[in-house]
Amino acid sequence: QVQLVESGGGLVQPGGSLRVSCVRSGRLFSVNAMGWYRQVPGKERELVAVVTSDGSTNYADSVKGRFTISRYNAKSIMYLQMNSLKPEDTAVYYCNLNGVPLGGRAMDYWGKGTLVTVSS
């Protein structure tokens, strides 16, 4: 069974940096894309950054130039490096993976999230 576990959230001052991690356990036939989403209470979950199977990346306009997504170890580990953090980056950050399980069809997997708070 595939599981995604995020870590690295916490409290950081405006202008600071933080790196959140996502570790995947369990086997998949293939991975289509991995990404980070975030959500604040009362708002819809939004895409922050995504890395596709060929290594292409895409970012929300609000984080371009400040956040960097990366993945390693046969797509088992994914990071989101966040620099120049702003109070509006405060949210629960979720790890997402779209992949094909053994003998199955493509589906989305989600972690439980890690809270990032940007405040002085």
Side-chain angles (χ1 to χ4, degrees):
Q1 185 174 358
V2 173
Q3 290 188 321
L4 302 175
V5 178
E6 303 98 333
S7 62
L11 174 64
V12 61
Q13 292 188 342
S17 297
L18 201 65
R19 187 180 77 167
V20 291
S21 304
C22 173
V23 177
R24 171 174 66 91
S25 61
R27 294 178 63 192
L28 285 168
F29 178 74
S30 64
V31 175
N32 297 324
M34 299 180 69
W36 288 95
Y37 288 71
R38 66 186 181 187
Q39 188 171 25
V40 297
K43 292 190 177 182
E44 292 188 357
R45 192 171 295 187
E46 64 173 359
L47 175 67
V48 176
V50 62
V51 54
T52 61
S53 58
D54 65 359
S56 301
T57 58
N58 197 20
Y59 298 89
D61 288 342
S62 59
V63 307
K64 280 181 182 177
R66 300 189 298 122
F67 290 12
T68 303
I69 189 171
S70 57
R71 56 170 169 78
Y72 301 95
N73 292 357
K75 305 167 188 174
S76 294
I77 301 175
M78 180 175 64
Y79 299 108
L80 184 68
Q81 176 68 42
M82 302 182 287
N83 300 327
S84 302
L85 282 161
K86 305 175 181 180
E88 51 264 42
D89 294 318
T90 296
V92 176
Y93 284 72
Y94 294 92
C95 174
N96 169 265
L97 183 153
N98 182 273
V100 181
L102 301 175
R105 307 174 77 173
M107 61 180 292
D108 280 310
Y109 300 88
W110 292 92
K112 294 183 178 180
T114 185
L115 176 62
V116 173
T117 302
V118 184
S119 175
S120 55

